[in-house]
Amino acid sequence: MKLQRKNRVRALAVGALAVSGALALSACGSDNTSGGPGGSSSAKAANIKCDGKGKLLASGSSAQKNAMDVWVQNYAGACQGTEINYQPTGSGAGVTTFLQGQTAFAGSDSPLKPEEITKSKTVCKGGQAIDLPMVGGPVAVGYNVPGVDGLVLDAPTLAKIFDSQITNWNDEAIKKLNPGAKLPDLKIQAFHRSDDSGTTDNFTKYLKAASGGAWKHEPAKKWEGTGGQAASGSAGVSSQVKQTSGAISYFELSYATAGKIPTVKINTGATAPVEATVDNASKAIAEAQPAGQGNDLALKLNYATKAEGAYPITLVTNEIVCDKGNKADTLPATKSFLTYVSSKDGQDALKALGYAPLPTEIADKVRKTVATLS
């Protein structure tokens, strides 16, 4: 079958391409490992077990879009008759659509709220929605400042930049963190997400936890800061940074990698500023604590970490599903797909994309929980 691509993002080590826009891929092979259009070595390596047929609709987090692109292509290369359509509408919209019963699962960069779990019981007959951690990684702070090849910022300074209290790149607070840098007399163009976003929620949780009171707003999916400019989705804000002199914004690392956008090193109070890398994010995610109950595997991240080499602005994208009461017509395909993406093969595909694979202990719990979905 034919994989629709709008633009090439990058060649991937896993032999797949990241594509832009919504995913709508039909499977091309079957359980066997024979080649075919899209059959390929990546499908062979994944060793995917196919169950269910038809169309599986999902939406939500744009932060995991590049991971979903690869996962869906690999799955489509193995499983005949199954079409997976993932729309990167943002975490807030994805959860809303799921709670309306319109999708098989949702992607969210923030765990479900208690009121959302309560509401889910009308959709999940005899059960409730749960969080399944699936994608980890750093939220990069990308910038476009001519003549500045390396930039260090800390939480108080970032809070003031994104709340319009620091408005120029040669501000004394920025100079102090970057001695010797040739900071221009240039207005800061701070971009934030216009849509309800789990990336925004995680970024503002970091600002609240680590800025020593400089961030006055409560963390939320909806942007609460003062001033700045807005754009839709991770693709939107990263595109604005790439094309706007003086710009700064926050987005998942793969967007910085794809756009060749330089990223800020964070002064956390450790002995050296910490770069946004997969390995450094993994060190921070390793400090996460369980936050869910029962089959809900939500995690609580430590945004104020000062551990050496731990990058503090991280997120974990959860796939939101019903523990019981999933749609009968899509349940087999949902379980099959989520089994693959939580598998070692699925998780191993992430690092080349700028994501952090789940710690083994968490991935094992996710796979066991997926097997119990009904």
Side-chain angles (χ1 to χ4, degrees), residues 258-273:
K260 297 182 180 178
I261 299 169
T263 60
V264 171
K265 291 183 179 180
I266 303 298
N267 183 339
T268 63
T271 56

Side-chain angles (χ1 to χ4, degrees), residues 10 12-14 16 18 66-68 70-71 252-255 257 278 349-355:
R10 71 176 71 78
L12 301 171
V14 292
N66 294 332
M68 275 289 173
V70 172
W71 283 338
E252 186 272 326
L253 180 62
S254 70
Y255 289 88
T257 303
V278 170
L350 293 178
K351 196 167 183 179
L353 305 174
Y355 297 100

